[in-house]
Amino acid sequence: MKFKTIEWKDDGVRILDQRKLPGQVRYLECKDALSVAKAIRTMAIRGAPAIGVAAAMGIALAAQKIRTHRQELFRKEIENVFTQMGQTRPTAVNLFWAINRMRRILEQVNTYGVEQTRMRLVDEALLIHKEDIEVNKKIGEHGKRLIRNGARILTHCNAGALATAGYGTALGVIYAARDEGKRFHVFVDETRPMLQGCRLTAWELAQEKIPATLITDSMAGVLMAQGKINLVIVGADRIARNGDTANKIGTYGVAVLSRWHHVPFYVAAPTSTIDFAIASGKEIPIEERPKEEVTHIGGRRIAPSGVNAFNPAFDVTPHSLIEGIITEKGVLRKPFEKNLKKMLKSKNSFF
Amino acid sequence: MKFKTIEWKDDGVRILDQRKLPGQVRYLECKDALSVAKAIRTMAIRGAPAIGVAAAMGIALAAQKIRTHRQELFRKEIENVFTQMGQTRPTAVNLFWAINRMRRILEQVNTYGVEQTRMRLVDEALLIHKEDIEVNKKIGEHGKRLIRNGARILTHCNAGALATAGYGTALGVIYAARDEGKRFHVFVDETRPMLQGCRLTAWELAQEKIPATLITDSMAGVLMAQGKINLVIVGADRIARNGDTANKIGTYGVAVLSRWHHVPFYVAAPTSTIDFAIASGKEIPIEERPKEEVTHIGGRRIAPSGVNAFNPAFDVTPHSLIEGIITEKGVLRKPFEKNLKKMLKSKNSFF
C-alpha cells in the first residue's frame, strides 16, 4: 500500500484523516487517547478492524502518558480510557475485542510495576496492528480462489486497507487475486451517506491500478439484472454466531438483490469480527448517526432546511443471504453456527 | 401548489429552474425554442409529463417567433424544432407524445395561413399543459383509495408537481389522499445521482406540510425488512404495452426489494406515458448521462479524479414486479396488456 491508515509513533498515533479523502491526504497526529477516541467517533478513521487497532493504540498512548507510578491509580485511569474508547462507536465488535485484549494484558501483569505494564500495553497494541495485516493477508489467500478470471465484482462501502491496519478484508481478497495475476473488474457502490465507496474504495483501487467503475448505490440492481455483476464481496462490522452480519447501511439491500439475481454474496472479515456472545443479528446494536450526514454532503446542505431524515449507519444481513464468510481461518460455509464451532476447534486453517 | 413548474407567457416560457432547488427558487425566462430545449436537456425542468409540456411550449414559442408568412417555410422551420425537441432526452415518451400532438395540429391546419397555424399551435401547447394538471388530478382520485390511514409510503425520485405541469403523478396520489383527510407518512429516497428525491420531493412535501422522512437510496431495504414501509408509489418515464416501466435509476432495485418484502409496488402515470408502439421494456432506450453527475455533487468533485463511472439515468422494472399502474382512466391491473386494450376501448373511466 502506498499509504498508512494508522501508525504508531513513540509520542503519538498518526492517523490518515479519511474524511478529507480523496481530495486531501492529511494525517492527524493524535497525542493522547482523547484525540484518538475523537478520530474514531468522527470517522477520521473507520472500518471495524481499523477502529479496533486505533482503540488499542489509543489505550497504549494513554498507558505511556499517565503520570503516576502507583499501580492502582494507573489501572483506574486506564480503565477510564477503556470506557472512553468503548463509547466511540457501538456497532463494530472489533473495537470491544481490541479493548478486551488490552484488558487481558492488564489482568496478566497485575504483579508488575507500572513501567512494565506500560510497555506490555504498547507491545500488545503493536501486536494487534501487526496481526491485523497478517490476518487480512490470510483472508486474501482464502478468498482469492472465489474470484475467477474475468469476474465482475461488486463491493459496498470500504473494506480495504483504509478500513484495517493495512491491506483490507473484502479488498484484501481482491488484492490477493490481482497478485495472482487474475484479471477482473470491480464495481464500487458509492455508499451514501458518507460515500466511503466513492471516496475511499475508488481511491484505493485507483492507487493499486485495479480496473473499477463507480456507481450510485441505486445502480447495483440493474447491473445485476443485466448480468454485469457475478460476485459480491463486502466487509463486516459484527457477525453473530449464526452468521447474521451487520455491515454498512445498504449491504442488506445488496444482499437481497444478489439473491434475487443468483449472484453469490460473500462477507470477508477476521474472526475478531465474530461476536460469539450473541446468537443472532437482532442483538447487534445499530448506531444512528446525525441526520446532517444525509441532509448535507461535505458540509454543504443538499436537502431543504427542516426536513426530517433517518440515518442508521448499519444494517443486518441475515445469514440465509450469505454464501460464505471469508476469514483468516478459511471460508466458512453454512450452517455457519455449526461450522464456526468446528473452525474454532481446529488449530490451523479450517480448509 | 405554491409554485409553478412551467408557465406560458406571451413572449416566452417561464421555467422553475429545478437544478437550483431547494436552495434557490429561480425561474428561467426562455425566449426561444433553443433555450427551452436546453432547459430540458440540462434538467432545469425534468419529469416525463413536465418535459412533454415544455417541448410543446417550446414549439409554440418557435411558432410565434418564426419570421415568415410563407406556409412552406414556416412548416420546414417548425419541423426543425420538432427534431430539436426530440433530441433533448431519449427515454421519456411523453416528450415524443407531445411533439406528435403538435405535429398533428400542423397536419390538420394545412389549408390555413401561417397566422392561424401559429395560433393553433399555441392553443395546443396550452391545452396540453391544462390537460396534464387535470389528468394528474384524476390519477390522484383513482390512486388515493390505495392509501390507507396510517400508511407508510416510499417514493423514489420526484413524480410530483415539479415533474408535471402541476400536482403530480405519484405525489398527486399522495396529495389527493391528504385532501381526503387521510394521515400517513412518506419516506423519500434521496435518488442519487441527481438527488431529485432530496432536493425536489422533500421540498414539495415540506411546502405541502406532509410528514416525510428523507433516506438514502440504500436504506429502503432495511426499512422494508423492519416493516416500516407498506406501500411504494413511483412515477414513470415510459411504459411498454406489457407494463414494463422505465423510471429513474434505482426504481428497479426498489421494486425487487418490494417484492421480496411483500410490499405492493405501484406506478402512477398518465396514459401519455404508455408507448403502445413497443411490446416490452427491452425496446426502451435508456439515456446515459455524463459521469460527472456521479463523480460530482453540486459541481464539486467527490470522487478521486480519473475514476471511471457509469450513469444510466433510468432502469426498467418488469411488469411482473408491478402491482398496478395508476392512470387517469383508473388503476390498471394485470395482465396489463389485455387490460390496457380494454381501457383504451372504454370511453370513460376504466374502473
Side-chain angles (χ1 to χ4, degrees):
Chain A
M1 294 297 132
K2 288 165 187 159
F3 54 86
K4 285 195 168 129
T5 305
I6 184 165
E7 206 177 350
W8 176 258
K9 301 278 180 188
D10 281 333
D11 62 337
V13 179
R14 195 162 186 250
I15 288 174
L16 177 56
D17 189 348
Q18 300 188 29
R19 297 166 303 183
K20 308 272 185 194
L21 287 175
Q24 297 167 40
V25 182
R26 280 204 196 159
Y27 290 87
L28 295 174
E29 308 284 351
C30 299
K31 300 291 182 193
D32 52 33
L34 190 70
S35 52
V36 174
K38 193 180 165 197
I40 297 171
R41 203 177 54 247
T42 60
M43 294 176 71
I45 187 162
R46 28 62 54 200
I51 66 179
V53 172
M57 284 191 179
I59 292 163
L61 197 57
Q64 270 196 337
K65 304 217 166 176
I66 293 169
R67 291 184 185 194
T68 180
H69 292 281
R70 289 172 52 200
Q71 186 68 270
E72 204 178 322
L73 204 61
F74 177 85
R75 279 165 184 275
K76 204 179 152 191
E77 289 208 27
I78 277 288
E79 280 292 345
N80 285 341
V81 178
F82 289 167
T83 306
Q84 186 182 56
M85 289 296 166
Q87 288 169 344
T88 51
R89 297 195 68 195
T91 302
V93 81
N94 313 59
L95 181 77
F96 307 100
W97 170 87
I99 295 169
N100 282 340
R101 270 187 66 163
M102 298 300 274
R103 182 174 277 124
R104 242 177 289 140
I105 295 300
L106 213 59
E107 286 160 8
Q108 282 165 17
V109 298
N110 59 11
T111 56
Y112 293 10
V114 164
E115 290 318 308
Q116 265 177 307
T117 309
R118 289 190 215 273
M119 249 166 40
R120 287 285 290 113
L121 286 168
V122 171
D123 286 350
E124 188 69 6
L126 295 179
L127 188 64
I128 288 173
H129 180 267
K130 185 169 156 271
E131 282 178 4
D132 187 60
I133 296 177
E134 289 166 4
V135 156
N136 284 340
K137 292 205 165 158
K138 281 184 195 158
I139 289 172
E141 288 306 305
H142 289 296
K144 69 182 183 187
R145 70 191 73 168
L146 301 170
I147 298 181
R148 290 192 204 157
N149 241 326
R152 294 178 299 272
I153 308 159
L154 175 71
T155 190
H156 188 74
C157 196
N158 174 268
L162 289 165
T164 59
Y167 208 67
T169 53
L171 296 192
V173 173
I174 282 167
Y175 297 142
R178 185 270 317 267
D179 290 345
E180 217 182 27
K182 281 178 182 161
R183 295 171 71 97
F184 49 82
H185 195 92
V186 184
F187 288 93
V188 180
D189 266 355
E190 67 172 4
T191 319
R192 278 280 290 151
M194 292 296 272
L195 296 165
Q196 292 92 336
C198 167
R199 296 188 303 104
L200 309 178
T201 298
W203 185 73
E204 273 198 50
L205 295 176
Q207 303 268 316
E208 294 293 316
K209 298 193 170 42
I210 289 175
T213 300
L214 177 66
I215 59 170
T216 64
D217 304 321
S218 59
M219 292 173 193
V222 75
L223 282 172
M224 287 186 194
Q226 292 168 355
K228 287 181 182 153
I229 289 166
N230 48 33
L231 179 65
V232 178
I233 313 178
V234 299
D237 289 81
R238 192 185 301 211
I239 302 173
R241 278 204 307 270
N242 69 347
D244 290 355
T245 295
N247 191 46
K248 182 52 54 197
I249 185 72
T251 303
Y252 169 69
V254 173
V256 171
L257 289 167
S258 301
R259 172 57 54 92
W260 185 266
H261 297 95
H262 312 292
V263 173
F265 176 93
Y266 284 91
V267 169
T271 52
S272 58
T273 308
I274 302 168
D275 186 349
F276 295 97
I278 62 171
S280 85
K282 282 182 197 151
E283 297 170 55
I284 302 176
I286 299 297
E287 177 183 9
E288 264 197 51
R289 294 188 57 86
K291 73 172 190 173
E292 285 70 24
E293 290 180 0
V294 174
T295 57
H296 291 62
I297 291 181
R300 212 161 54 163
R301 171 173 285 284
I302 50 166
S305 60
V307 74
N308 186 24
F310 181 50
N311 189 19
F314 305 94
D315 58 28
V316 175
T317 299
H319 62 274
S320 58
L321 296 176
I322 300 168
E323 190 73 24
I325 301 171
I326 311 164
T327 75
E328 74 276 20
K329 298 197 172 197
V331 181
L332 205 62
R333 302 276 179 180
K334 289 179 217 179
F336 293 123
E337 188 148 6
K338 193 176 145 203
N339 288 332
L340 198 56
K341 276 184 197 152
K342 272 197 212 166
M343 192 177 78
L344 287 178
K345 280 182 197 158
S346 68
K347 284 197 176 163
N348 299 315
S349 265
F350 183 58
F351 71 88
Chain B
M1 295 298 132
K2 286 164 187 160
F3 54 88
K4 286 198 166 129
T5 306
I6 183 166
E7 206 179 349
W8 176 258
K9 302 276 178 186
D10 281 332
D11 62 337
V13 180
R14 196 162 185 252
I15 289 173
L16 176 56
D17 188 348
Q18 300 188 29
R19 297 165 304 183
K20 309 272 186 195
L21 288 175
Q24 297 167 40
V25 181
R26 280 206 196 158
Y27 291 86
L28 294 175
E29 307 284 350
C30 299
K31 298 290 180 193
D32 52 34
L34 191 68
S35 52
V36 174
K38 194 180 164 197
I40 297 171
R41 204 176 54 248
T42 60
M43 296 176 69
I45 187 163
R46 30 61 54 202
I51 67 178
V53 172
M57 284 193 181
I59 291 163
L61 198 55
Q64 270 195 338
K65 302 218 169 177
I66 292 168
R67 290 187 187 190
T68 180
H69 291 282
R70 288 172 52 199
Q71 186 69 273
E72 203 177 325
L73 203 61
F74 177 84
R75 278 164 185 275
K76 205 179 150 191
E77 290 207 29
I78 277 287
E79 279 293 343
N80 285 342
V81 179
F82 289 166
T83 307
Q84 185 182 56
M85 289 296 166
Q87 287 168 345
T88 50
R89 298 197 66 195
T91 302
V93 81
N94 313 59
L95 181 77
F96 307 102
W97 170 88
I99 295 169
N100 282 339
R101 270 187 67 164
M102 298 300 273
R103 182 175 278 124
R104 240 176 290 139
I105 295 301
L106 213 60
E107 285 160 8
Q108 283 165 17
V109 297
N110 61 10
T111 54
Y112 291 12
V114 164
E115 290 317 308
Q116 265 178 308
T117 310
R118 289 190 217 273
M119 251 164 42
R120 287 285 291 112
L121 286 168
V122 171
D123 286 350
E124 188 68 7
L126 295 179
L127 188 64
I128 288 173
H129 180 267
K130 184 169 156 271
E131 282 178 4
D132 188 59
I133 297 177
E134 289 166 5
V135 157
N136 284 341
K137 293 204 164 159
K138 282 184 192 158
I139 290 172
E141 289 306 306
H142 289 296
K144 70 182 182 187
R145 70 191 73 169
L146 301 170
I147 298 181
R148 291 191 203 158
N149 241 326
R152 293 177 300 272
I153 308 159
L154 175 70
T155 190
H156 188 74
C157 196
N158 174 269
L162 289 165
T164 59
Y167 208 66
T169 54
L171 296 193
V173 172
I174 283 166
Y175 297 142
R178 186 268 320 265
D179 290 345
E180 217 181 28
K182 282 180 183 160
R183 295 171 72 95
F184 49 84
H185 194 91
V186 184
F187 288 94
V188 180
D189 266 355
E190 67 172 4
T191 319
R192 277 280 289 152
M194 294 295 272
L195 296 165
Q196 292 93 337
C198 166
R199 295 188 302 106
L200 310 178
T201 298
W203 185 74
E204 272 198 52
L205 296 176
Q207 302 269 317
E208 294 294 316
K209 298 194 170 43
I210 289 174
T213 300
L214 177 66
I215 59 170
T216 66
D217 304 321
S218 58
M219 292 173 192
V222 75
L223 282 172
M224 288 186 193
Q226 292 168 355
K228 287 182 183 155
I229 289 167
N230 48 31
L231 178 64
V232 178
I233 312 178
V234 299
D237 289 82
R238 192 184 300 212
I239 301 173
R241 276 203 309 270
N242 69 348
D244 290 354
T245 296
N247 191 45
K248 183 52 55 195
I249 186 72
T251 303
Y252 169 69
V254 173
V256 170
L257 289 167
S258 302
R259 173 57 53 92
W260 185 266
H261 297 96
H262 312 292
V263 174
F265 176 95
Y266 284 91
V267 169
T271 52
S272 57
T273 307
I274 302 169
D275 186 349
F276 295 97
I278 62 171
S280 85
K282 282 182 196 151
E283 298 170 55
I284 302 176
I286 299 296
E287 176 182 10
E288 263 195 53
R289 294 189 57 85
K291 73 172 190 173
E292 284 70 25
E293 289 179 1
V294 174
T295 58
H296 292 62
I297 291 181
R300 213 159 54 161
R301 172 174 284 284
I302 49 165
S305 60
V307 74
N308 187 25
F310 181 50
N311 189 18
F314 305 94
D315 57 27
V316 174
T317 298
H319 61 277
S320 58
L321 297 176
I322 300 167
E323 191 73 25
I325 301 172
I326 311 164
T327 75
E328 74 276 19
K329 297 197 170 195
V331 181
L332 205 62
R333 302 276 179 181
K334 287 179 221 182
F336 293 122
E337 188 147 3
K338 192 177 146 202
N339 287 333
L340 199 56
K341 275 183 197 154
K342 271 197 212 166
M343 192 177 79
L344 286 179
K345 279 182 197 156
S346 68
K347 285 199 176 161
N348 299 314
S349 265
F350 183 58
F351 69 88

